[in-house]
Structures are given as C-alpha cells and as structure tokens.
Amino acid sequence: MSEMLEDLRKRIDQCDQELQKLFNERLDIVTDVAKYKQKHSLPIFDALREEEILMRYEGLEREFFRYLMALSRKKQSKILIPYNVVLVGFMGVGKSSVGSSLAQHLGRDFLDLDDEIEQELGMSIADFFEQEGEKAFRAKETALIKKLASLNNLVFSVGGGAVLNPQNVIELKKKGRLILLTAESNTIYNRLKDDTTRPVLGVPVTKFKIEELLEKRNIVYEQVAQAIVSTDGLSLDGVIDRIVQSLFKLNDELAGSN
Ligand code: S3P
C-alpha cells in the first residue's frame, strides 16, 4: 500500500474514533432527555425540534442527522419501552396506520401480522378464507404469532380476531404489552362500508354486523388489553401521544407494584 493511502486511512480512523466518542456522548445525553421526558410525561418524538435541527443542515449532512435522530429515538424507546408494543382491536380502528407511525416515532420496526400472513399464504386473507375457511386462517394466524412474538423491540398490529384466542394473547404478552385501540361504531362503519377485504364482516358491510361483532368482542378486548386508547376525534399524532403516555403509565404501575 502506498504511504499516502496509508496516511489517509489513518486520518479516517481518527475521524471515526472522534465520531464514535461524540456519538456515544450524544446517546448518553439523549438517554437523560428520555428520562426527563418520561418523568414529565412528554412525547418521545418532538417533530418540531427534529425539524429545527434538520434545517441547520443540507444534502448529505441533513441525511446524516436524520439518521442520527432516528437512532436516538431508537435508543430512547429501548430504554423507556423495553418491550414490543402490540396494537389490538376491531377492524377499521386504525391499527395498521397507527402502528407504522408509532414505530417511526419509537425508531423501531413495524410488523403488520395480517400482511405477514398474506405474504406467507401468497394470497389475500379474503381469498384464503374463501378457499380454506376461517379455521385454517386462525391456525395460520396462531402459528405466525408464535413465531413472530419472540422478536424484540417491535411494534405489532394484529388482526381483530387474533386476541380472541387466549393462546395468542399468552404469546403476544411474553415480550409485549397489548394496547387496545377503539373507535365508535359509526367511525368504523364509515371506514369499512365499501370494504371487500374483511371476510368476517361479509359484503356489503353493514352497521348491524359491526355492532353485533363489537358487542361480542369488546368484553374480550377489554380483558386482554393492558391499556385502552380511544381514537375518536384524535389526529394520528394525538393517538401516538396517547399511546406513549399509556405506556409510560403502565411502566409506573409496574414499578409501583414491584
Ligand atoms: C379479522 C380481522 C382482519 C383479518 C381477518 C380477520 C377479524 O384484520 O385478520 O380478516 O376477525 O377481526 P384487521 O383487524 O386488521 O382488519
């Protein structure tokens, strides 16, 4: 190797060592910020603050800081919420959209169980129901939950029927906390009235069917949930804030009971 290249590489190594030191220093500060935010019930992710930081930079530097802040959020959420967050609840309450946004907020990955099932089946849930029936679908659902619930640091959303099986609840609670999302039957109806992908509701979706099923399922949902967040009248960010506050409250309750 030429002396010049060797010298350049040495300088890169020095830069990296400095960066590593500063990176760890930043993560330590971020950890203190996380603890402060938890104590004062503040949201982990302050979009305005992140935007303010990003605006100081351009191009590659902005990309670098965007990633740095995502890693900071990941670190904060690992400390404050050291378990999987599992969103449960009726069809149409927004589990998937809330889940993917919550995962971004917490700097972690999102898994939508129904999407995973569809990928494994190689067909839509509606088609599978039609060809193989609900029992076969539930067996697939349970097998996949058993497999995926052992992963760490994730946000999950599970289909509306998943937690009706106590075995699934046991698996999901091993490493996760269950947050029930709710919405008024009118809201659910308005969201799902033209939907053809929910076989348990049939086509066309009626308000009667939704209310009938809600009444049967709500008892179980409320029994298995460790926190309940009503989404009515809230923006997506509002729902995320409520979920994070409920998780903090759950931590406090657990700390109190120890
Ligand atoms: C179901 C809900 C669906 C899907 C399947 C059965 C249910 O998921 O798992 O169609 O029994 O409530 P979503 O709750 O995500 O719609």
Side-chain angles (χ1 to χ4, degrees):
M1 205 182 347
S2 81
E3 229 171 87
M4 183 170 165
L5 185 58
E6 212 169 314
D7 187 48
L8 289 173
R9 286 190 169 164
K10 251 189 213 140
R11 283 168 58 200
I12 288 183
D13 289 347
Q14 277 166 5
C15 275
D16 288 351
Q17 275 172 15
E18 285 299 308
L19 278 174
Q20 184 194 24
K21 213 174 111 228
L22 287 173
F23 178 60
N24 284 321
E25 195 177 319
R26 192 182 199 279
L27 286 184
D28 285 345
I29 301 172
V30 155
T31 305
D32 289 342
V33 170
K35 288 179 183 156
Y36 178 90
K37 284 180 170 178
Q38 182 178 34
K39 195 163 164 225
H40 296 86
S41 297
L42 294 168
I44 295 183
F45 176 36
D46 184 341
L48 282 178
R49 165 80 180 143
E50 288 207 2
E51 209 39 48
E52 187 190 303
I53 294 176
L54 286 180
M55 291 320 284
R56 296 178 194 150
Y57 308 99
E58 276 177 4
L60 287 179
E61 288 183 359
R62 190 176 288 177
E63 286 313 299
F64 171 73
F65 279 99
R66 197 188 297 282
Y67 192 53
L68 190 60
M69 285 191 284
L71 291 176
S72 301
R73 261 182 276 135
K74 188 174 188 161
K75 167 92 183 184
Q76 289 182 318
S77 95
K78 248 189 187 166
I79 293 168
L80 300 180
I81 302 165
Y83 43 77
N84 293 328
V85 181
V86 185
L87 301 180
V88 306
F90 203 77
M91 295 159 274
V93 294
K95 298 180 297 279
S96 301
S97 44
V98 171
S100 96
S101 184
L102 177 68
Q104 202 202 357
H105 181 98
L106 300 179
R108 57 178 72 176
D109 290 332
F110 171 59
L111 274 187
D112 182 317
L113 252 297
D114 281 342
D115 285 352
E116 297 297 317
I117 294 176
E118 289 193 331
Q119 259 187 39
E120 211 172 278
L121 296 174
M123 67 173 90
S124 73
I125 290 176
D127 286 347
F128 190 75
F129 254 68
E130 204 177 304
Q131 288 177 28
E132 307 285 337
E134 177 164 2
K135 211 168 152 206
F137 169 74
R138 297 299 174 198
K140 285 273 171 210
E141 190 175 47
T142 297
L144 208 68
I145 286 177
K146 194 168 167 52
K147 186 169 125 196
L148 298 178
S150 62
L151 301 173
N152 295 305
N153 276 308
L154 291 169
V155 173
F156 282 110
S157 76
V158 298
V163 296
L164 304 177
N165 176 347
Q167 189 54 41
N168 295 340
V169 175
I170 291 172
E171 289 299 329
L172 290 166
K173 280 189 174 171
K174 278 186 187 162
K175 291 198 170 179
R177 304 267 161 84
L178 270 50
I179 307 295
L180 171 63
L181 297 185
T182 66
E184 294 289 339
S185 57
N186 262 335
T187 314
I188 296 175
Y189 175 67
N190 283 326
R191 285 186 189 148
L192 298 184
K193 60 180 188 287
D194 300 320
D195 190 278
T196 55
T197 66
R198 305 309 206 281
V200 289
L201 289 178
V203 180
V205 174
T206 64
K207 194 149 173 254
F208 176 79
K209 183 72 195 168
I210 289 175
E211 283 175 345
E212 186 187 51
L213 212 54
L214 263 177
E215 200 182 312
K216 269 197 216 146
R217 290 182 168 188
N218 273 342
I219 308 160
V220 183
Y221 287 157
E222 285 165 20
Q223 261 170 9
V224 302
Q226 288 153 302
I228 301 177
V229 173
S230 154
T231 62
D232 288 295
L234 291 180
S235 64
L236 191 55
D237 283 347
V239 176
I240 304 294
D241 276 358
R242 289 276 169 91
I243 294 175
V244 173
Q245 298 315 328
S246 324
L247 294 169
F248 286 171
K249 218 171 130 220
L250 267 178
N251 291 347
D252 288 346
E253 281 165 16
L254 282 177
S257 68
N258 282 335

